[in-house]
Amino acid sequence: EARLLLGSILQEDGNRDESVAQLTEAVRLRPQSAEAHNALGEALNAFGERVSARPEFEAAVRLDPAFAQAQVNLGLVLLQAGQFHAAGEALDRALQLLPLEPVTAYAHYLRAKVATEQNAVDQAAAQLSAAVALRPDFAEAWSDLGQARKTLLQDAPALAAFERAAALSPADPVVQTRLGSELLDEGKIP
C-alpha cells in the first residue's frame, strides 16, 4: 500500500523513474492486485508509455472485471491504438459500472470518440450529451458535441454547443476554430 501511494505521488510530481519503480515493486509484491496493476498502467500511460501500460490495464480488468476505472483506462489505450471495437467494449463495461456522477463524463467522452471513429455520429452525439449533462464545464465535450451536431446538420444546436465550449475555454484554438467556422457557415461574420 505504501508503494502504491508513493508511486502515485511521484507520478503526479512527474518523477517517472521513481514512480514506475515503486509501482512495479507494488505489482511484484501483490501480483493479484487489480489496483496495483492499474496504478502502474496509469503511471506508464501518463509518461507516454501506452504500449507498456496496456498489459497492466488488461491485468487489472482480468483480476477485477468490475474495476470501472481500469476499464476506462483500458478503453483509452485501445482507442489510442486504433482498436475501436475493443475500446468500445471496455468503455461500455465501464459505463455500466460507473455511477451517474461528474467523473463518469470522461468515459462518455471517450465512448463518443470511439463512436465517431466508427462513423456512428448519432451515438457520438448521445454520448457527448450525456457527458455535458454530467459535467457542464467540460469544454472539449461541448466542442465535440458541436462538431457532431454540425455533421448531423443541426446548425442551431451545433452553434450553441460551440459557443458554450468557447465560453468555457476561450484560449483553446480548436474550440475557437470550430466556433469561427460555424459562424462563417451561418453567415454571422461579415
Side-chain angles (χ1 to χ4, degrees):
E1 294 299 321
R3 289 185 184 276
L4 280 175
L5 180 60
L6 180 57
S8 296
I9 290 170
L10 290 166
Q11 173 200 332
E12 289 177 19
D13 286 344
N15 187 334
R16 184 250 178 248
D17 293 339
E18 285 298 313
S19 171
V20 171
Q22 291 296 327
L23 294 169
T24 299
E25 184 62 12
V27 167
R28 188 188 71 73
L29 292 170
R30 293 183 54 205
Q32 298 303 309
S33 168
E35 183 182 350
H37 284 281
N38 186 65
L40 177 55
E42 286 180 339
L44 291 166
N45 195 44
F47 294 113
E49 299 173 39
R50 294 182 187 110
V51 173
S52 299
R54 180 177 172 174
E56 298 304 326
F57 296 138
E58 289 172 337
V61 299
R62 186 175 53 255
L63 291 165
D64 183 359
F67 191 175
Q69 187 57 50
Q71 294 282 5
V72 172
N73 292 335
L74 179 59
L76 172 62
V77 297
L78 290 168
L79 173 62
Q80 292 167 335
Q83 295 181 2
F84 305 122
H85 182 73
E89 288 178 348
L91 292 165
D92 287 342
R93 282 190 296 276
L95 288 167
Q96 290 173 352
L97 298 166
L98 289 166
L100 290 176
E101 295 178 357
V103 70
T104 305
Y106 185 65
H108 283 288
Y109 176 72
L110 293 177
R111 187 62 182 92
K113 294 262 186 215
V114 171
T116 299
E117 291 293 338
Q118 296 174 322
N119 295 316
V121 181
D122 285 334
Q123 184 183 9
Q127 292 292 336
L128 291 163
S129 293
V132 299
L134 290 168
R135 205 176 116 204
D137 65 339
F138 198 166
E140 296 89 350
W142 279 109
S143 180
D144 285 1
L145 178 58
Q147 195 65 37
R149 288 177 172 168
K150 181 176 179 136
T151 301
L152 294 169
L153 304 176
Q154 300 170 353
D155 292 335
L159 179 59
F162 289 138
E163 289 174 335
R164 180 65 187 256
L168 291 167
S169 188
D172 185 322
V174 172
V175 168
Q176 294 302 322
T177 300
R178 285 177 171 177
L179 175 59
S181 175
E182 185 63 19
L183 289 169
L184 283 171
D185 286 350
E186 291 190 21
K188 296 191 177 186
I189 296 179

mmCIF file of all heavy atoms in Angstrom, residues 116-163:
data_model
loop_
_atom_site.group_PDB
_atom_site.id
_atom_site.type_symbol
_atom_site.label_atom_id
_atom_site.label_comp_id
_atom_site.label_asym_id
_atom_site.label_seq_id
_atom_site.Cartn_x
_atom_site.Cartn_y
_atom_site.Cartn_z
ATOM 1 N N THR A 116 -17.381 8.120 -32.998
ATOM 2 C CA THR A 116 -17.014 8.988 -34.113
ATOM 3 C C THR A 116 -16.100 8.249 -35.079
ATOM 4 O O THR A 116 -16.287 8.322 -36.300
ATOM 5 C CB THR A 116 -16.331 10.273 -33.592
ATOM 6 O OG1 THR A 116 -17.259 10.976 -32.754
ATOM 7 C CG2 THR A 116 -15.883 11.171 -34.725
ATOM 8 N N GLU A 117 -15.118 7.535 -34.550
ATOM 9 C CA GLU A 117 -14.205 6.766 -35.402
ATOM 10 C C GLU A 117 -14.931 5.670 -36.175
ATOM 11 O O GLU A 117 -14.487 5.261 -37.237
ATOM 12 C CB GLU A 117 -13.071 6.164 -34.570
ATOM 13 C CG GLU A 117 -12.102 7.180 -34.020
ATOM 14 C CD GLU A 117 -11.278 7.875 -35.101
ATOM 15 O OE1 GLU A 117 -11.125 7.326 -36.213
ATOM 16 O OE2 GLU A 117 -10.802 8.990 -34.824
ATOM 17 N N GLN A 118 -16.045 5.202 -35.624
ATOM 18 C CA GLN A 118 -16.825 4.150 -36.279
ATOM 19 C C GLN A 118 -17.964 4.731 -37.131
ATOM 20 O O GLN A 118 -18.849 4.004 -37.559
ATOM 21 C CB GLN A 118 -17.380 3.185 -35.228
ATOM 22 C CG GLN A 118 -16.292 2.433 -34.490
ATOM 23 C CD GLN A 118 -16.816 1.583 -33.344
ATOM 24 O OE1 GLN A 118 -17.737 1.969 -32.629
ATOM 25 N NE2 GLN A 118 -16.225 0.412 -33.180
ATOM 26 N N ASN A 119 -17.931 6.049 -37.345
ATOM 27 C CA ASN A 119 -18.941 6.752 -38.150
ATOM 28 C C ASN A 119 -20.351 6.598 -37.588
ATOM 29 O O ASN A 119 -21.324 6.597 -38.344
ATOM 30 C CB ASN A 119 -18.888 6.324 -39.618
ATOM 31 C CG ASN A 119 -17.582 6.725 -40.259
ATOM 32 O OD1 ASN A 119 -17.121 7.844 -40.067
ATOM 33 N ND2 ASN A 119 -16.977 5.819 -41.001
ATOM 34 N N ALA A 120 -20.469 6.482 -36.294
ATOM 35 C CA ALA A 120 -21.766 6.420 -35.613
ATOM 36 C C ALA A 120 -21.999 7.775 -34.941
ATOM 37 O O ALA A 120 -21.934 7.905 -33.720
ATOM 38 C CB ALA A 120 -21.789 5.282 -34.601
ATOM 39 N N VAL A 121 -22.256 8.784 -35.765
ATOM 40 C CA VAL A 121 -22.329 10.163 -35.268
ATOM 41 C C VAL A 121 -23.506 10.353 -34.318
ATOM 42 O O VAL A 121 -23.393 11.081 -33.323
ATOM 43 C CB VAL A 121 -22.384 11.162 -36.444
ATOM 44 C CG1 VAL A 121 -22.433 12.595 -35.946
ATOM 45 C CG2 VAL A 121 -21.178 10.964 -37.353
ATOM 46 N N ASP A 122 -24.645 9.711 -34.586
ATOM 47 C CA ASP A 122 -25.788 9.807 -33.668
ATOM 48 C C ASP A 122 -25.406 9.300 -32.272
ATOM 49 O O ASP A 122 -25.736 9.926 -31.262
ATOM 50 C CB ASP A 122 -26.982 8.991 -34.173
ATOM 51 C CG ASP A 122 -27.700 9.651 -35.332
ATOM 52 O OD1 ASP A 122 -27.635 10.892 -35.446
ATOM 53 O OD2 ASP A 122 -28.334 8.924 -36.117
ATOM 54 N N GLN A 123 -24.694 8.164 -32.246
ATOM 55 C CA GLN A 123 -24.263 7.601 -30.970
ATOM 56 C C GLN A 123 -23.246 8.519 -30.292
ATOM 57 O O GLN A 123 -23.301 8.725 -29.080
ATOM 58 C CB GLN A 123 -23.672 6.213 -31.172
ATOM 59 C CG GLN A 123 -23.284 5.534 -29.876
ATOM 60 C CD GLN A 123 -22.619 4.179 -30.089
ATOM 61 O OE1 GLN A 123 -22.287 3.789 -31.198
ATOM 62 N NE2 GLN A 123 -22.408 3.474 -28.997
ATOM 63 N N ALA A 124 -22.341 9.096 -31.072
ATOM 64 C CA ALA A 124 -21.361 10.032 -30.510
ATOM 65 C C ALA A 124 -22.064 11.225 -29.894
ATOM 66 O O ALA A 124 -21.731 11.643 -28.777
ATOM 67 C CB ALA A 124 -20.374 10.481 -31.591
ATOM 68 N N ALA A 125 -23.061 11.772 -30.595
ATOM 69 C CA ALA A 125 -23.795 12.923 -30.066
ATOM 70 C C ALA A 125 -24.508 12.567 -28.760
ATOM 71 O O ALA A 125 -24.518 13.365 -27.808
ATOM 72 C CB ALA A 125 -24.788 13.439 -31.101
ATOM 73 N N ALA A 126 -25.075 11.371 -28.701
ATOM 74 C CA ALA A 126 -25.752 10.941 -27.468
ATOM 75 C C ALA A 126 -24.762 10.811 -26.313
ATOM 76 O O ALA A 126 -25.050 11.235 -25.177
ATOM 77 C CB ALA A 126 -26.479 9.617 -27.703
ATOM 78 N N GLN A 127 -23.594 10.228 -26.581
ATOM 79 C CA GLN A 127 -22.577 10.090 -25.522
ATOM 80 C C GLN A 127 -22.077 11.455 -25.059
ATOM 81 O O GLN A 127 -21.870 11.684 -23.866
ATOM 82 C CB GLN A 127 -21.411 9.232 -26.023
ATOM 83 C CG GLN A 127 -21.746 7.782 -26.246
ATOM 84 C CD GLN A 127 -22.038 7.034 -24.956
ATOM 85 O OE1 GLN A 127 -21.607 7.406 -23.874
ATOM 86 N NE2 GLN A 127 -22.792 5.956 -25.074
ATOM 87 N N LEU A 128 -21.886 12.372 -26.006
ATOM 88 C CA LEU A 128 -21.415 13.711 -25.645
ATOM 89 C C LEU A 128 -22.481 14.486 -24.885
ATOM 90 O O LEU A 128 -22.164 15.240 -23.951
ATOM 91 C CB LEU A 128 -20.967 14.467 -26.899
ATOM 92 C CG LEU A 128 -19.702 13.896 -27.534
ATOM 93 C CD1 LEU A 128 -19.551 14.387 -28.966
ATOM 94 C CD2 LEU A 128 -18.476 14.243 -26.700
ATOM 95 N N SER A 129 -23.737 14.299 -25.245
ATOM 96 C CA SER A 129 -24.827 14.930 -24.492
ATOM 97 C C SER A 129 -24.839 14.427 -23.055
ATOM 98 O O SER A 129 -25.044 15.205 -22.115
ATOM 99 C CB SER A 129 -26.172 14.657 -25.169
ATOM 100 O OG SER A 129 -26.242 15.308 -26.414
ATOM 101 N N ALA A 130 -24.601 13.129 -22.886
ATOM 102 C CA ALA A 130 -24.524 12.566 -21.530
ATOM 103 C C ALA A 130 -23.333 13.148 -20.777
ATOM 104 O O ALA A 130 -23.436 13.466 -19.580
ATOM 105 C CB ALA A 130 -24.426 11.040 -21.600
ATOM 106 N N ALA A 131 -22.215 13.315 -21.475
ATOM 107 C CA ALA A 131 -21.013 13.860 -20.824
ATOM 108 C C ALA A 131 -21.256 15.272 -20.314
ATOM 109 O O ALA A 131 -20.921 15.597 -19.170
ATOM 110 C CB ALA A 131 -19.826 13.839 -21.793
ATOM 111 N N VAL A 132 -21.844 16.136 -21.141
ATOM 112 C CA VAL A 132 -22.044 17.525 -20.710
ATOM 113 C C VAL A 132 -23.181 17.662 -19.711
ATOM 114 O O VAL A 132 -23.201 18.603 -18.916
ATOM 115 C CB VAL A 132 -22.218 18.495 -21.905
ATOM 116 C CG1 VAL A 132 -20.967 18.488 -22.779
ATOM 117 C CG2 VAL A 132 -23.458 18.186 -22.716
ATOM 118 N N ALA A 133 -24.110 16.699 -19.722
ATOM 119 C CA ALA A 133 -25.160 16.711 -18.697
ATOM 120 C C ALA A 133 -24.557 16.412 -17.324
ATOM 121 O O ALA A 133 -24.960 17.003 -16.317
ATOM 122 C CB ALA A 133 -26.248 15.699 -19.035
ATOM 123 N N LEU A 134 -23.588 15.500 -17.300
ATOM 124 C CA LEU A 134 -22.936 15.142 -16.042
ATOM 125 C C LEU A 134 -21.914 16.183 -15.613
ATOM 126 O O LEU A 134 -21.682 16.380 -14.413
ATOM 127 C CB LEU A 134 -22.246 13.779 -16.173
ATOM 128 C CG LEU A 134 -23.175 12.582 -16.286
ATOM 129 C CD1 LEU A 134 -22.399 11.338 -16.694
ATOM 130 C CD2 LEU A 134 -23.908 12.354 -14.974
ATOM 131 N N ARG A 135 -21.274 16.822 -16.595
ATOM 132 C CA ARG A 135 -20.230 17.799 -16.282
ATOM 133 C C ARG A 135 -20.381 19.002 -17.223
ATOM 134 O O ARG A 135 -19.747 19.061 -18.277
ATOM 135 C CB ARG A 135 -18.856 17.150 -16.432
ATOM 136 C CG ARG A 135 -17.813 17.838 -15.589
ATOM 137 C CD ARG A 135 -16.477 17.145 -15.667
ATOM 138 N NE ARG A 135 -15.567 18.084 -16.289
ATOM 139 C CZ ARG A 135 -14.477 17.765 -16.933
ATOM 140 N NH1 ARG A 135 -14.133 16.509 -17.066
ATOM 141 N NH2 ARG A 135 -13.698 18.669 -17.453
ATOM 142 N N PRO A 136 -21.204 19.954 -16.854
ATOM 143 C CA PRO A 136 -21.487 21.095 -17.734
ATOM 144 C C PRO A 136 -20.280 21.970 -18.064
ATOM 145 O O PRO A 136 -20.344 22.765 -18.990
ATOM 146 C CB PRO A 136 -22.536 21.895 -16.953
ATOM 147 C CG PRO A 136 -23.120 20.940 -15.980
ATOM 148 C CD PRO A 136 -22.032 19.951 -15.661
ATOM 149 N N ASP A 137 -19.178 21.819 -17.344
ATOM 150 C CA ASP A 137 -17.981 22.628 -17.598
ATOM 151 C C ASP A 137 -16.958 21.913 -18.481
ATOM 152 O O ASP A 137 -15.830 22.347 -18.616
ATOM 153 C CB ASP A 137 -17.316 23.012 -16.279
ATOM 154 C CG ASP A 137 -16.763 21.807 -15.523
ATOM 155 O OD1 ASP A 137 -17.214 20.674 -15.776
ATOM 156 O OD2 ASP A 137 -15.886 22.011 -14.672
ATOM 157 N N PHE A 138 -17.348 20.859 -19.168
ATOM 158 C CA PHE A 138 -16.460 20.015 -19.973
ATOM 159 C C PHE A 138 -16.355 20.606 -21.384
ATOM 160 O O PHE A 138 -17.063 20.209 -22.312
ATOM 161 C CB PHE A 138 -17.020 18.595 -19.997
ATOM 162 C CG PHE A 138 -16.074 17.502 -20.398
ATOM 163 C CD1 PHE A 138 -16.418 16.189 -20.154
ATOM 164 C CD2 PHE A 138 -14.860 17.753 -21.029
ATOM 165 C CE1 PHE A 138 -15.586 15.143 -20.521
ATOM 166 C CE2 PHE A 138 -14.017 16.719 -21.404
ATOM 167 C CZ PHE A 138 -14.382 15.413 -21.152
ATOM 168 N N ALA A 139 -15.445 21.544 -21.563
ATOM 169 C CA ALA A 139 -15.328 22.293 -22.817
ATOM 170 C C ALA A 139 -15.064 21.397 -24.026
ATOM 171 O O ALA A 139 -15.668 21.592 -25.091
ATOM 172 C CB ALA A 139 -14.227 23.345 -22.694
ATOM 173 N N GLU A 140 -14.168 20.432 -23.887
ATOM 174 C CA GLU A 140 -13.847 19.556 -25.016
ATOM 175 C C GLU A 140 -15.065 18.763 -25.467
ATOM 176 O O GLU A 140 -15.276 18.551 -26.665
ATOM 177 C CB GLU A 140 -12.704 18.599 -24.668
ATOM 178 C CG GLU A 140 -11.386 19.276 -24.378
ATOM 179 C CD GLU A 140 -11.217 19.644 -22.901
ATOM 180 O OE1 GLU A 140 -12.203 19.541 -22.117
ATOM 181 O OE2 GLU A 140 -10.112 20.045 -22.525
ATOM 182 N N ALA A 141 -15.877 18.323 -24.508
ATOM 183 C CA ALA A 141 -17.086 17.576 -24.853
ATOM 184 C C ALA A 141 -18.095 18.487 -25.556
ATOM 185 O O ALA A 141 -18.741 18.073 -26.522
ATOM 186 C CB ALA A 141 -17.695 16.938 -23.611
ATOM 187 N N TRP A 142 -18.225 19.726 -25.091
ATOM 188 C CA TRP A 142 -19.113 20.678 -25.768
ATOM 189 C C TRP A 142 -18.646 20.909 -27.199
ATOM 190 O O TRP A 142 -19.451 20.952 -28.134
ATOM 191 C CB TRP A 142 -19.168 22.007 -25.018
ATOM 192 C CG TRP A 142 -20.094 22.014 -23.842
ATOM 193 C CD1 TRP A 142 -19.746 22.043 -22.525
ATOM 194 C CD2 TRP A 142 -21.523 21.996 -23.881
ATOM 195 N NE1 TRP A 142 -20.883 22.030 -21.745
ATOM 196 C CE2 TRP A 142 -21.982 22.009 -22.542
ATOM 197 C CE3 TRP A 142 -22.462 21.951 -24.910
ATOM 198 C CZ2 TRP A 142 -23.330 21.998 -22.214
ATOM 199 C CZ3 TRP A 142 -23.811 21.946 -24.584
ATOM 200 C CH2 TRP A 142 -24.238 21.963 -23.242
ATOM 201 N N SER A 143 -17.348 21.071 -27.385
ATOM 202 C CA SER A 143 -16.803 21.304 -28.724
ATOM 203 C C SER A 143 -17.070 20.113 -29.639
ATOM 204 O O SER A 143 -17.517 20.280 -30.786
ATOM 205 C CB SER A 143 -15.297 21.586 -28.629
ATOM 206 O OG SER A 143 -14.751 21.819 -29.900
ATOM 207 N N ASP A 144 -16.810 18.908 -29.148
ATOM 208 C CA ASP A 144 -17.063 17.707 -29.948
ATOM 209 C C ASP A 144 -18.561 17.518 -30.208
ATOM 210 O O ASP A 144 -18.958 17.060 -31.282
ATOM 211 C CB ASP A 144 -16.472 16.472 -29.278
ATOM 212 C CG ASP A 144 -14.954 16.396 -29.399
ATOM 213 O OD1 ASP A 144 -14.339 17.307 -29.994
ATOM 214 O OD2 ASP A 144 -14.379 15.417 -28.882
ATOM 215 N N LEU A 145 -19.399 17.891 -29.226
ATOM 216 C CA LEU A 145 -20.844 17.818 -29.418
ATOM 217 C C LEU A 145 -21.269 18.771 -30.536
ATOM 218 O O LEU A 145 -22.093 18.415 -31.387
ATOM 219 C CB LEU A 145 -21.580 18.141 -28.119
ATOM 220 C CG LEU A 145 -23.107 18.135 -28.198
ATOM 221 C CD1 LEU A 145 -23.640 16.788 -28.665
ATOM 222 C CD2 LEU A 145 -23.696 18.506 -26.826
ATOM 223 N N GLY A 146 -20.690 19.958 -30.549
ATOM 224 C CA GLY A 146 -20.971 20.886 -31.637
ATOM 225 C C GLY A 146 -20.599 20.292 -32.981
ATOM 226 O O GLY A 146 -21.351 20.400 -33.961
ATOM 227 N N GLN A 147 -19.443 19.648 -33.038
ATOM 228 C CA GLN A 147 -18.988 19.037 -34.299
ATOM 229 C C GLN A 147 -19.926 17.911 -34.718
ATOM 230 O O GLN A 147 -20.257 17.779 -35.900
ATOM 231 C CB GLN A 147 -17.550 18.525 -34.135
ATOM 232 C CG GLN A 147 -16.871 18.216 -35.429
ATOM 233 C CD GLN A 147 -16.672 19.459 -36.289
ATOM 234 O OE1 GLN A 147 -16.405 20.539 -35.799
ATOM 235 N NE2 GLN A 147 -16.823 19.298 -37.584
ATOM 236 N N ALA A 148 -20.356 17.096 -33.765
ATOM 237 C CA ALA A 148 -21.287 16.007 -34.083
ATOM 238 C C ALA A 148 -22.613 16.575 -34.585
ATOM 239 O O ALA A 148 -23.164 16.094 -35.584
ATOM 240 C CB ALA A 148 -21.502 15.123 -32.854
ATOM 241 N N ARG A 149 -23.106 17.598 -33.919
ATOM 242 C CA ARG A 149 -24.374 18.208 -34.354
ATOM 243 C C ARG A 149 -24.235 18.845 -35.728
ATOM 244 O O ARG A 149 -25.160 18.802 -36.535
ATOM 245 C CB ARG A 149 -24.833 19.225 -33.317
ATOM 246 C CG ARG A 149 -25.343 18.566 -32.044
ATOM 247 C CD ARG A 149 -25.722 19.575 -30.997
ATOM 248 N NE ARG A 149 -26.382 18.932 -29.866
ATOM 249 C CZ ARG A 149 -26.613 19.543 -28.709
ATOM 250 N NH1 ARG A 149 -26.250 20.810 -28.539
ATOM 251 N NH2 ARG A 149 -27.215 18.897 -27.743
ATOM 252 N N LYS A 150 -23.075 19.438 -35.987
ATOM 253 C CA LYS A 150 -22.840 20.019 -37.313
ATOM 254 C C LYS A 150 -22.880 18.923 -38.375
ATOM 255 O O LYS A 150 -23.485 19.085 -39.432
ATOM 256 C CB LYS A 150 -21.500 20.746 -37.335
ATOM 257 C CG LYS A 150 -21.180 21.403 -38.656
ATOM 258 C CD LYS A 150 -19.890 22.174 -38.580
ATOM 259 C CE LYS A 150 -19.597 22.782 -39.931
ATOM 260 N NZ LYS A 150 -19.159 24.148 -39.839
ATOM 261 N N THR A 151 -22.253 17.796 -38.102
ATOM 262 C CA THR A 151 -22.261 16.667 -39.027
ATOM 263 C C THR A 151 -23.682 16.164 -39.255
ATOM 264 O O THR A 151 -24.036 15.752 -40.366
ATOM 265 C CB THR A 151 -21.373 15.528 -38.495
ATOM 266 O OG1 THR A 151 -20.040 16.038 -38.327
ATOM 267 C CG2 THR A 151 -21.341 14.336 -39.426
ATOM 268 N N LEU A 152 -24.510 16.233 -38.213
ATOM 269 C CA LEU A 152 -25.903 15.797 -38.310
ATOM 270 C C LEU A 152 -26.810 16.885 -38.886
ATOM 271 O O LEU A 152 -28.032 16.733 -38.907
ATOM 272 C CB LEU A 152 -26.410 15.368 -36.929
ATOM 273 C CG LEU A 152 -25.736 14.129 -36.342
ATOM 274 C CD1 LEU A 152 -26.108 13.942 -34.876
ATOM 275 C CD2 LEU A 152 -26.096 12.895 -37.161
ATOM 276 N N LEU A 153 -26.191 17.987 -39.362
ATOM 277 C CA LEU A 153 -26.901 19.115 -39.968
ATOM 278 C C LEU A 153 -27.870 19.794 -38.994
ATOM 279 O O LEU A 153 -28.936 20.273 -39.386
ATOM 280 C CB LEU A 153 -27.627 18.672 -41.243
ATOM 281 C CG LEU A 153 -26.737 18.016 -42.303
ATOM 282 C CD1 LEU A 153 -27.571 17.525 -43.470
ATOM 283 C CD2 LEU A 153 -25.647 18.972 -42.764
ATOM 284 N N GLN A 154 -27.484 19.840 -37.731
ATOM 285 C CA GLN A 154 -28.255 20.525 -36.696
ATOM 286 C C GLN A 154 -27.540 21.837 -36.373
ATOM 287 O O GLN A 154 -26.836 21.955 -35.376
ATOM 288 C CB GLN A 154 -28.377 19.640 -35.452
ATOM 289 C CG GLN A 154 -29.060 18.311 -35.711
ATOM 290 C CD GLN A 154 -28.959 17.354 -34.534
ATOM 291 O OE1 GLN A 154 -28.270 17.609 -33.545
ATOM 292 N NE2 GLN A 154 -29.641 16.234 -34.645
ATOM 293 N N ASP A 155 -27.708 22.823 -37.260
ATOM 294 C CA ASP A 155 -26.907 24.044 -37.188
ATOM 295 C C ASP A 155 -27.093 24.836 -35.896
ATOM 296 O O ASP A 155 -26.109 25.229 -35.270
ATOM 297 C CB ASP A 155 -27.195 24.935 -38.400
ATOM 298 C CG ASP A 155 -26.692 24.317 -39.693
ATOM 299 O OD1 ASP A 155 -25.756 23.498 -39.642
ATOM 300 O OD2 ASP A 155 -27.249 24.649 -40.756
ATOM 301 N N ALA A 156 -28.329 25.098 -35.494
ATOM 302 C CA ALA A 156 -28.549 25.907 -34.288
ATOM 303 C C ALA A 156 -27.996 25.210 -33.035
ATOM 304 O O ALA A 156 -27.277 25.844 -32.246
ATOM 305 C CB ALA A 156 -30.027 26.255 -34.127
ATOM 306 N N PRO A 157 -28.275 23.921 -32.825
ATOM 307 C CA PRO A 157 -27.684 23.245 -31.672
ATOM 308 C C PRO A 157 -26.149 23.159 -31.749
ATOM 309 O O PRO A 157 -25.473 23.217 -30.730
ATOM 310 C CB PRO A 157 -28.314 21.859 -31.682
ATOM 311 C CG PRO A 157 -29.572 22.003 -32.456
ATOM 312 C CD PRO A 157 -29.291 23.068 -33.473
ATOM 313 N N ALA A 158 -25.618 23.034 -32.964
ATOM 314 C CA ALA A 158 -24.159 22.996 -33.124
ATOM 315 C C ALA A 158 -23.557 24.319 -32.683
ATOM 316 O O ALA A 158 -22.587 24.340 -31.918
ATOM 317 C CB ALA A 158 -23.789 22.698 -34.577
ATOM 318 N N LEU A 159 -24.132 25.415 -33.155
ATOM 319 C CA LEU A 159 -23.635 26.739 -32.776
ATOM 320 C C LEU A 159 -23.711 26.936 -31.266
ATOM 321 O O LEU A 159 -22.760 27.426 -30.649
ATOM 322 C CB LEU A 159 -24.404 27.836 -33.510
ATOM 323 C CG LEU A 159 -23.981 29.266 -33.181
ATOM 324 C CD1 LEU A 159 -22.497 29.494 -33.491
ATOM 325 C CD2 LEU A 159 -24.860 30.269 -33.927
ATOM 326 N N ALA A 160 -24.812 26.526 -30.659
ATOM 327 C CA ALA A 160 -24.962 26.668 -29.206
ATOM 328 C C ALA A 160 -23.870 25.893 -28.466
ATOM 329 O O ALA A 160 -23.298 26.386 -27.480
ATOM 330 C CB ALA A 160 -26.346 26.198 -28.766
ATOM 331 N N ALA A 161 -23.561 24.691 -28.940
ATOM 332 C CA ALA A 161 -22.520 23.881 -28.293
ATOM 333 C C ALA A 161 -21.147 24.518 -28.479
ATOM 334 O O ALA A 161 -20.344 24.570 -27.539
ATOM 335 C CB ALA A 161 -22.536 22.459 -28.849
ATOM 336 N N PHE A 162 -20.859 25.025 -29.693
ATOM 337 C CA PHE A 162 -19.578 25.692 -29.931
ATOM 338 C C PHE A 162 -19.440 26.944 -29.061
ATOM 339 O O PHE A 162 -18.371 27.219 -28.517
ATOM 340 C CB PHE A 162 -19.421 26.073 -31.408
ATOM 341 C CG PHE A 162 -19.203 24.911 -32.333
ATOM 342 C CD1 PHE A 162 -19.848 24.871 -33.557
ATOM 343 C CD2 PHE A 162 -18.351 23.861 -32.008
ATOM 344 C CE1 PHE A 162 -19.645 23.817 -34.443
ATOM 345 C CE2 PHE A 162 -18.139 22.803 -32.877
ATOM 346 C CZ PHE A 162 -18.792 22.780 -34.105
ATOM 347 N N GLU A 163 -20.526 27.697 -28.922
ATOM 348 C CA GLU A 163 -20.488 28.907 -28.093
ATOM 349 C C GLU A 163 -20.235 28.550 -26.631
ATOM 350 O O GLU A 163 -19.474 29.237 -25.939
ATOM 351 C CB GLU A 163 -21.782 29.709 -28.252
ATOM 352 C CG GLU A 163 -21.887 30.381 -29.605
ATOM 353 C CD GLU A 163 -23.213 31.063 -29.844
ATOM 354 O OE1 GLU A 163 -24.236 30.668 -29.231
ATOM 355 O OE2 GLU A 163 -23.234 31.992 -30.677
#
